[in-house]
Amino acid sequence: MELSSKLVKSVAYDPSTGVLDIEIRLKGHRRYFNVPLVVYENLITATSPGWYYTRHIRDAYPRSAEGAEGRAKQVLRMVTGKRGQLS
């Protein structure tokens, strides 16, 4: 779902798993786990979705970073088998 926010571009939520996918403008995608439905509902109806995300989601739920930086680090780890050190 597209949002009219300067920070949050779009969101998707799976109520059966509690997984919330958020696309952050200029930062990429983030996947949050164990997010209650009410949090998703509050996010998409908030006057300022960016403020709601920052205040109630960003540091409150476990996440995986899937933005460009996160993908680059994952690829580097797969290639090197280490923490960013090329052999």
Side-chain angles (χ1 to χ4, degrees):
M1 162 182 288
E2 294 281 327
L3 296 180
S4 58
S5 168
K6 292 180 182 176
L7 179 64
V8 179
K9 182 176 181 182
S10 64
V11 297
Y13 181 71
D14 183 346
S16 67
T17 61
V19 172
L20 175 64
D21 288 311
I22 299 181
E23 184 176 358
I24 306 297
R25 295 185 192 278
L26 306 175
K27 298 277 185 178
H29 291 86
R30 304 283 185 269
R31 175 167 283 178
Y32 291 87
F33 303 96
N34 306 318
V35 179
L37 178 60
V38 68
V39 172
Y40 168 71
E41 291 170 342
N42 289 342
L43 173 66
I44 63 172
T45 59
T47 303
S48 173
W51 178 88
Y52 188 87
Y53 162 76
T54 302
R55 183 88 167 132
H56 298 285
I57 298 171
R58 184 179 66 189
D59 298 324
Y61 298 95
R63 76 172 190 198
S64 66
E66 297 179 358
E69 183 178 322
R71 283 193 300 272
K73 286 179 182 178
Q74 288 174 346
V75 169
L76 185 58
R77 282 190 202 120
M78 289 187 320
V79 169
T80 64
K82 299 179 184 176
R83 302 186 103 201
Q85 300 169 350
L86 292 173
S87 313

